[in-house]
Amino acid sequence: MKYEFFEKEGVEYVAFLQGERELRTEQDASDLIGACFERGVSRLLLHADALSEDFFRLRTGLAGAVMQKLVNYRIRTAVVVPEDRLVLGKAKEMLAELKFGNAFRSFSNEQEAVQWLTRNGG
């Protein structure tokens, strides 16, 4: 899995980037959590291009399982889904609901996502 560590205003986070492998399984989410724990980081930035299509097909259960795992391990997560990549149906509804969460939130651009992710106080 391809990820990098970044720091903004003294707050470090992990960014999961598009690479040769997408987040496809709960084990992939566990690997990202492990990467966070290796550095003592509790914030994660996900890009839509790094998520498999199954993440956006809610019937697979992948999105729910990944989100639950991240919440359980207290990994504050921002997912960037650009306007031109918006999905339809239930996944779109789920992403709309995530715009107001404190533990897992969706954004249309990376700048807003990083600003929320690195904000003090969680």
Side-chain angles (χ1 to χ4, degrees):
M1 300 182 79
K2 185 177 178 182
Y3 54 86
E4 292 182 25
F5 293 92
F6 293 92
E7 183 178 334
K8 180 181 177 191
E9 299 176 14
V11 177
E12 195 171 18
Y13 64 95
V14 176
F16 179 50
L17 309 168
Q18 182 180 13
E20 65 282 349
R21 195 165 144 216
E22 301 171 320
L23 189 144
R24 296 177 188 207
T25 66
E26 285 185 62
Q27 182 58 51
D28 292 339
S30 294
D31 292 346
L32 285 175
I33 291 166
C36 289
F37 283 4
E38 282 177 22
R39 294 272 294 253
V41 174
S42 62
R43 296 164 196 244
L44 175 65
L45 178 67
L46 299 174
H47 289 271
D49 291 340
L51 302 172
S52 71
E53 288 301 317
D54 279 349
F55 185 88
F56 298 102
R57 287 189 200 110
L58 297 188
R59 72 179 180 275
T60 67
L62 180 60
V66 167
M67 288 189 295
Q68 188 62 55
K69 192 172 286 264
L70 292 166
V71 168
N72 287 349
Y73 284 95
R74 295 189 170 103
I75 304 295
R76 186 172 198 204
T77 305
V79 61
V80 179
V81 183
E83 297 290 333
D84 64 344
R85 180 89 200 286
L86 274 179
V87 291
L88 301 174
K90 296 290 184 189
K92 184 174 183 175
E93 292 174 21
M94 175 195 69
L95 290 173
E97 288 180 25
L98 291 177
K99 288 192 180 276
F100 305 105
N102 288 323
F104 197 104
R105 191 178 279 192
S106 68
F107 297 88
S108 60
N109 67 67
E110 184 172 341
Q111 182 180 0
E112 290 176 0
V114 170
Q115 184 178 8
W116 174 80
L117 198 59
T118 58
R119 183 179 70 205
N120 284 334

